[in-house]
Amino acid sequence: MFTHTPSQGDLSFSLLLRALRGITLWQPILVYVIAVFLGMTGLELFAQWPGGWAGAAIGVIILLISFGVGYLGAGGVLLHEARGDPLPEIAKSLRFGIRALPRLLGLLIIESLLLLGIFVVEALGFFACKIPGIGAMLFVPLFPAIMLVNAIVFVLAVIVFNLSGPALWHGESVGNSLRHTISIARNKPGSILLMMLLLAALATGMGIIIAVILYTGYSMTLTAATPVLADEISRSADMFWQMLGALSGERLISGEILAQPVAASTSLYNAGLSMGLGLAGALVFILPNVVFLLGMAHIYIEALELVAPEDV
């Protein structure tokens, strides 16, 4: 069904190279950027509400929702890329992210409840160690055994949580997503974890390279803009001294005339600098993330072919 070559018995290391293609795909990057931009806009609007912390809280919720929509929408595009299918339109991807968001929340809640259930069982086991006479003897084998169990649970939880998104990108229901991710984590924990660690290292390296490139570009741009910024700093200093003189009782007509224009000009220059930093920060986050998500899409497809080929 898919154009990539299926692996024989285990995951293929070539998926790491295929994941690098994510940095050249503008569709998922644009989906992510649009979703995050809308979320940041909502955060700014609600943060300025006179209601105090309520507006800021609503803004943060909107921002988190936008990250989820961007994650699911971009992931849906990347799964089509991993399959070799034609990529969906931007609007369709955003609608997919909105529709899949409740399933993602439900899946994460169920997985969290499973972990909580394991913790409660362990707590009950340690509570039994308080029984007089046999409690101390029961603790001796119980503690190292639970330590090993928790180590295994941690590995499985990392795999299941990271594969939850790709399962939903695949269009699966919450039940099928949970069944497939647990089956993959149980049958291929070592290879899946190794590929995830290598993929994370690859994405981190890409992020560092991108950050260095963008920092260099920002520094060069800041250097080129030095004459403009120097004049602005000088005008801001003049305004400061004029305001200081006004506060000390001196009457400076020029200060009254220039205060508002200079303040507005300073605000615009600061906005330009902030937009440059914001754009750089967004690209440092989004581009490596797209590489990582494309790699996770390849991992999920190959792992699903190994453990449940009938559901691919």
Side-chain angles (χ1 to χ4, degrees):
M1 176 179 175
F2 302 142
T3 58
H4 73 276
T5 303
S7 56
Q8 300 297 325
D10 212 337
L11 298 181
S12 171
F13 281 92
S14 64
L15 66 84
L16 295 174
L17 297 177
R18 298 200 297 272
L20 288 175
R21 177 169 164 73
I23 203 171
T24 67
L25 300 174
W26 62 268
Q27 293 95 329
I29 296 174
L30 184 58
V31 170
Y32 232 134
V33 169
I34 291 175
V36 173
F37 174 77
L38 293 177
M40 292 296 296
T41 302
L43 176 62
E44 288 294 330
L45 291 176
F46 281 95
Q48 297 177 5
W49 273 25
W53 63 269
I58 295 174
V60 170
I61 293 174
I62 292 176
L63 181 62
L64 294 176
I65 291 175
S66 72
F67 273 104
V69 171
Y71 167 76
L72 293 169
V77 177
L78 294 172
L79 193 78
H80 280 77
E81 168 65 23
R83 288 175 173 176
D85 295 339
L87 302 185
E89 298 177 354
I90 302 301
K92 183 177 180 180
S93 299
L94 290 172
R95 288 196 300 269
F96 171 80
I98 294 173
R99 291 196 306 269
L101 186 60
R103 282 184 287 160
L104 177 62
L105 295 176
L107 188 58
L108 293 178
I109 291 173
I110 293 174
E111 292 168 352
S112 300
L113 290 176
L114 290 176
L115 291 177
L116 179 62
I118 294 174
F119 176 79
V120 170
V121 172
E122 293 175 353
L124 291 176
F126 282 119
F127 184 77
C129 295
K130 299 179 67 175
I131 299 176
I134 63 171
M137 292 185 294
L138 183 61
F139 182 84
V140 173
L142 185 62
F143 185 86
I146 291 183
M147 179 192 68
L148 294 177
V149 169
N150 283 334
I152 295 173
V153 168
F154 173 73
V155 172
L156 297 179
V158 169
I159 295 174
V160 169
F161 274 98
N162 280 279
L163 291 180
S164 297
L168 295 177
W169 305 341
H170 203 262
E172 299 178 1
S173 63
V174 173
N176 286 337
S177 298
L178 188 63
R179 177 170 61 87
H180 285 151
T181 52
I182 292 178
S183 177
I184 291 172
R186 188 178 66 249
N187 288 280
K188 295 288 182 180
S191 57
I192 295 291
L193 184 62
L194 175 61
M195 296 304 295
M196 287 175 54
L197 292 175
L198 293 175
L199 186 60
L202 178 64
T204 301
M206 290 296 301
I208 293 173
I209 294 173
I210 293 170
V212 170
I213 293 174
L214 290 175
Y215 175 77
T216 303
Y218 183 84
S219 300
M220 294 172 62
T221 306
L222 196 62
T223 302
T226 297
V228 176
L229 295 178
D231 293 340
E232 180 59 28
I233 292 173
S234 176
R235 286 196 296 269
S236 299
D238 291 341
M239 184 187 70
F240 171 77
W241 289 114
Q242 291 171 1
M243 292 176 62
L244 188 63
L247 290 175
S248 63
E250 299 179 9
R251 298 288 297 176
L252 292 176
I253 299 177
S254 60
E256 297 175 359
I257 297 175
L258 294 177
Q260 291 183 353
V262 172
S265 177
T266 302
S267 177
L268 291 175
Y269 280 108
N270 289 335
L273 294 174
S274 299
M275 287 180 63
L277 284 175
L279 178 61
L283 291 176
V284 169
F285 169 78
I286 291 175
L287 294 180
N289 200 21
V290 169
V291 171
F292 181 80
L293 296 182
L294 180 56
M296 291 303 301
H298 281 293
I299 288 176
Y300 182 77
I301 290 175
E302 292 198 7
L304 194 61
E305 288 178 346
L306 296 175
V307 302
E310 69 281 359
D311 293 329
V312 176

